[in-house]
Amino acid sequence: MPKRDYYEVLGVGRDCGPEDLKKAYRRLAMQYHPDRNQGDKQAEERFKEVGEAYTCLSDPQKRQRYDAFGHAGDGMPDMGGFSFDSAFDLFDMFFGGGRRGRARSGPQRGSDLRMNLEITLREAVFGSNRTVEVPRADTCPECSGSGAEPGTSPVQCPQCNGSGQVRRAVQSIFGQVVNVTACSRCRGEGRIVERPCRSCRGQGRVEIRKTIEVQIPAGVDEDVQVRVAGEGEAGPRGGPRGDLYLAFRIENHPHFTRRGQELIYELPVSVAQAVLGDRITVPTIDGEHILDLAAGTQDGRVIRISGMGVPHVRSGRRGDQLCVVRVVIPTHLNSKERKLYEQLEGRTGRPAEVRKGFFDHLKEALRG
Ligand SMILES: [Zn+2]
Ligand SMILES: [Zn+2]
């Protein structure tokens, strides 16, 4: 089912301020709270949806990203793990209700993992496949995650007769309601292990170092996170895996400095090349590129090579390379060179005023 727009979920406008957001959340969370809508699956879903929408929109950073990218993929990695538990926690935070034991439905999901990868600028531009080693909790191979010693199996919990739930009448802010809580004996799992597996001590999980292949998309930057679904930690007793999130640090490159989607290169030229013009070979991240330097090129001029920059991580459209001309003044002259410069001196007169500095050139190029 496609996710509904968060503003629509809360019934507020796009310019809604924090106070109105709170009010909208309060009203809807009260209306759809499961204690008030016993067994109503739709209300339950709405309760979670309202919590998720509020969690996103009440955080200025998340809201900004949501406004820019919507629910699209890795634009919103943080909302991936929003669960019913998160919705209840938010509600309890708002209304000050103590956290009550709640029945979990099915096995618990494993935690998400985060990992930092050091990558080269080339990898950031073209993407790559990497083999990484992830230290994580994995399903125990001895008992296949059941937690029971091989040859035995978990038995039905005698306290809840396998339902994992205990029903109890309690006072809540809605008056007396029947509260369904997780069975304390089996912790909601409905089954108990009589003889725990020796290799995982009944946990169903063991710590391992897992080698996996990950794909680094072209265009990633240090503020982009990539989600690798289902490569996080295994849940206890055979629960589903969490996700793995990759963050990146990009190594410095000897030639290029990255600025968003642009690659900046300082292009050294001799005095004669700058004066007379020349055809020169320039490095790009794709390989060599031939550039025609115009006669009379000033120091600091910026020459744009289009399409040789960093691709946009979503659209794949590539930025440009900017070559900043650096006229290199010779410091050691042989006698012949010295003579030639001496001949020039006195004939050319004083140079005209400097009209533009390096920063003006760069600003102009970045605007263009
Ligand atoms: Zn085991
Ligand atoms: Zn039980």
Side-chain angles (χ1 to χ4, degrees):
M1 196 176 69
K3 267 194 186 178
R4 285 209 299 152
D5 179 73
Y6 285 153
Y7 291 97
E8 199 182 301
V9 168
L10 291 175
V12 295
R14 299 221 145 231
D15 53 354
C16 172
E19 277 312 309
D20 288 334
L21 214 56
K22 255 185 213 170
K23 261 187 230 156
Y25 170 74
R26 254 175 221 281
R27 189 172 56 76
L28 292 168
M30 283 290 266
Q31 183 181 343
Y32 292 115
H33 194 285
D35 277 0
R36 192 183 240 188
N37 301 273
Q38 295 285 323
D40 181 346
K41 281 277 165 217
Q42 217 176 340
E44 228 173 74
E45 272 306 322
R46 290 279 284 138
F47 178 68
K48 182 181 160 216
E49 197 182 34
V50 164
E52 180 175 330
Y54 180 78
T55 302
C56 171
L57 298 184
S58 60
D59 178 323
Q61 247 176 330
K62 283 183 189 154
R63 183 168 175 175
Q64 209 175 20
R65 285 174 83 171
Y66 178 73
D67 287 344
F69 304 119
H71 294 295
D74 47 5
M76 295 295 297
D78 304 321
M79 302 308 294
F82 198 88
S83 61
F84 276 110
D85 271 349
S86 324
F88 280 110
D89 286 343
L90 179 67
F91 185 87
D92 289 348
M93 222 169 68
F94 249 82
F95 295 96
R99 195 189 154 84
R100 299 181 298 270
R102 279 182 296 270
R104 292 185 194 285
S105 47
Q108 212 180 320
R109 180 177 178 273
S111 341
D112 291 337
L113 289 177
R114 237 155 271 273
M115 197 171 184
N116 292 316
L117 283 186
E118 184 118 337
I119 61 172
T120 63
L121 183 63
R122 267 195 79 79
E123 290 181 290
V125 172
F126 297 112
S128 78
N129 289 312
R130 272 279 195 104
T131 304
V132 295
E133 222 182 46
V134 191
R136 71 183 189 195
D138 235 53
T139 304
C140 171
E142 291 300 318
C143 62
S144 314
S146 74
E149 184 66 13
T152 73
S153 45
V155 295
Q156 196 181 69
C157 171
Q159 190 163 311
C160 60
N161 295 320
S163 73
Q165 300 180 341
V166 176
R167 288 170 172 277
R168 200 154 43 103
V170 291
Q171 287 301 320
S172 100
I173 55 172
F174 306 111
Q176 175 150 328
V177 295
V178 176
N179 199 0
V180 181
T181 62
C183 166
S184 58
R185 176 89 189 268
C186 62
R187 281 189 251 104
E189 285 167 30
R191 304 195 301 172
I192 52 169
V193 170
E194 287 182 314
R195 286 180 57 200
C197 163
R198 263 170 295 185
S199 95
C200 64
R201 278 184 254 108
Q203 296 303 302
R205 296 190 294 181
V206 284
E207 285 294 327
I208 58 150
R209 300 185 71 85
K210 174 83 178 176
T211 305
I212 60 167
E213 182 100 345
V214 296
Q215 214 178 17
I216 300 168
V220 289
D221 208 342
E222 297 191 341
D223 59 357
V224 172
Q225 273 195 102
V226 170
R227 186 170 76 127
V228 187
E231 293 292 358
E233 302 217 281
R237 311 269 163 88
R241 284 188 180 294
D243 297 329
L244 171 67
Y245 287 97
L246 300 176
F248 305 96
R249 219 202 68 74
I250 301 169
E251 289 165 19
N252 289 330
H253 190 277
H255 289 146
F256 307 110
T257 308
R258 179 175 180 176
R259 188 183 171 284
Q261 280 180 259
E262 273 156 347
L263 292 177
I264 296 172
Y265 171 65
E266 284 193 289
L267 170 64
V269 304
S270 71
V271 175
Q273 282 177 311
V275 173
L276 304 172
D278 198 2
R279 170 162 286 198
I280 38 184
T281 306
V282 181
T284 71
I285 198 95
D286 292 62
E288 291 184 337
H289 182 89
I290 308 281
L291 198 78
D292 280 317
L293 192 73
T297 296
Q298 301 293 327
D299 182 65
R301 231 204 92 196
V302 177
I303 303 167
R304 187 180 283 267
I305 306 176
S306 72
M308 294 289 183
V310 183
H312 189 270
V313 75
R314 282 191 192 75
S315 71
R317 254 233 332 258
R318 287 185 70 176
D320 303 334
Q321 174 172 327
L322 304 181
C323 303
V324 181
V325 173
R326 283 276 163 241
V327 178
V328 181
I329 309 296
T331 49
H332 296 287
L333 298 175
N334 61 33
S335 59
K336 194 181 166 203
E337 288 165 338
R338 172 168 288 277
K339 276 221 175 67
L340 289 168
Y341 275 106
E342 278 168 357
Q343 282 176 31
L344 281 174
E345 220 281 314
R347 289 190 182 197
T348 44
R350 290 179 57 84
E353 284 289 310
V354 173
R355 282 187 319 223
K356 271 185 188 170
F358 161 70
F359 286 107
D360 297 314
H361 282 296
L362 192 60
K363 257 190 262 164
E364 194 172 80
L366 295 177
R367 227 183 289 128

